[in-house]
Amino acid sequence: MTMPRRRFLALSACALATPARAGARHAWQGTALGADVALTVRGGSAEAARAFFAEAARSLRGVERQFSLFSGSDLRRLNALGRLAHPSAEMLAVLRLAAAVHEATGGAFDPTVQPLWQARRLGQDETAAATLVGWGDVRFGPSEVRLSRSGMALTLNGIAQGFAADLLAEVAARHRLAEVLVDAGEIRALGPAPWDAVIEAPGGRVLRRLALRGRALATSAAYGTRIGPAGDRAHIIGPAGQAPRWVLVSISADRAMLADALSTAAVLMERPAIDRALAAFPEARVEALVPA
């Protein structure tokens, strides 16, 4: 699982999308969940774009209030208390997809890995932390989210940035903006005309060029952020502490949070297992793989 940052577009392992054709453009930049957010509108009026950007900023503050590991968020309270009463519809949507990806990936995607990640970050013995990992001990429904064992904690950083991109796409649609590129750490491209995308390996070598049209693209890089006292450990950790099998995985899908979760899990999986997982989501496909 990925912990505090998945901002691979700003790192050496990246996917960069740009407009495929000329036209009036309006741009906005902000931050959410520790990542830069960039919005690009192609066509449309300046007034519509400004209204979109203003609502997008408000929506991102809502994402922070729910999914940040810091700043008094709903997730922070859940981890501290082991219980979150009356979770939002957005929280439940993220948890439902997390459960589906957990099942499809044979448990490789597991948000309960947070205690293990913290132990590894600090260079502590991981034995006790490993006993706190287990998605089967997470219960959620409209009345509450509950972590069954004391000391458990979730991270949603392997899916929440994708959720943010999808949310901003919904905001753009409400403002009747047809051609929009959302970059919230994961990319969501809207509109009938393509947006050119480049997936780069660590070091800048171009792995793939593709045109995104009405799709999302997520790239996970095992060493995009390094953790541990020596700064030499991958920040993506499996629920059993397993090491990454891939340096980089890029997956596209119709939803950014699906691409986000699948690319995170796929870093830990053998190729046949990746293919089996994607069979559960026919709208998703692998766009690039770099072996570890």
Side-chain angles (χ1 to χ4, degrees):
M1 285 291 299
T2 293
M3 302 309 156
R5 284 175 61 96
R6 298 188 73 252
R7 179 57 185 165
F8 301 121
L9 304 185
L11 300 171
S12 59
C14 69
L16 174 64
T18 57
R21 69 180 188 184
R25 294 177 61 196
H26 314 280
W28 179 90
Q29 291 186 324
T31 60
L33 299 175
D36 296 331
V37 177
L39 305 176
T40 304
V41 176
R42 191 164 56 197
S45 69
E47 292 77 12
R50 284 195 295 269
F52 165 48
F53 297 154
E55 186 176 349
R58 292 193 296 271
S59 297
L60 289 173
R61 290 193 290 272
V63 169
E64 289 275 357
R65 287 193 296 269
Q66 293 186 75
F67 302 113
S68 174
L69 282 166
F70 309 98
S71 66
S73 69
D74 289 351
L75 180 59
R76 178 88 172 190
R77 287 193 292 275
L78 171 63
N79 288 344
L81 301 174
R83 178 180 180 271
L84 177 66
H86 306 296
S88 67
E90 293 81 4
M91 177 67 76
L92 290 174
V94 168
L95 292 177
R96 281 194 294 268
L97 184 61
V101 174
H102 175 82
E103 181 177 0
T105 60
F109 186 79
D110 192 329
T112 66
V113 78
Q114 176 69 358
L116 184 60
W117 186 89
Q118 286 284 17
R120 187 164 298 185
R121 180 181 70 87
L122 298 171
Q124 298 173 344
D125 182 80
E126 298 178 8
T127 304
T131 67
L132 298 173
V133 176
W135 180 254
D137 290 317
V138 179
R139 305 284 185 268
F140 63 90
S143 61
E144 71 170 6
V145 182
R146 182 176 291 276
L147 307 180
S148 299
R149 287 178 286 137
S150 177
M152 291 183 70
L154 301 186
T155 173
L156 297 173
N157 282 4
I159 191 171
Q161 286 186 343
F163 170 82
D166 291 335
L167 178 63
L168 295 182
E170 293 175 4
V171 173
R174 286 200 294 272
H175 288 272
R176 299 183 180 180
L177 295 169
E179 297 189 62
V180 178
L181 181 71
V182 176
D183 173 358
E186 317 303 348
I187 289 175
R188 177 81 182 265
L190 307 179
W195 297 80
D196 294 332
V198 177
I199 301 171
E200 295 182 353
R205 178 171 60 90
V206 174
L207 298 173
R208 181 87 188 276
R209 298 181 185 275
L210 64 157
L212 288 179
R213 182 187 288 107
R215 286 183 70 76
L217 179 68
T219 298
S220 291
Y223 292 91
T225 298
R226 296 173 184 264
I227 64 172
D232 59 349
R233 308 294 297 274
H235 74 125
I236 299 178
I237 302 173
Q242 57 264 51
R245 296 179 180 274
W246 306 92
V247 171
L248 176 146
V249 178
S250 288
I251 289 180
S252 68
D254 62 338
R255 293 171 291 164
M257 68 172 173
L258 176 59
D260 191 358
L262 287 172
S263 67
T264 301
V267 167
L268 304 164
M269 302 165 64
E270 295 181 350
R271 182 57 196 262
I274 295 173
D275 293 338
R276 288 193 297 271
L278 266 61
F281 303 100
E283 66 274 28
R285 60 176 177 260
V286 173
E287 301 292 355
L289 290 170
V290 178

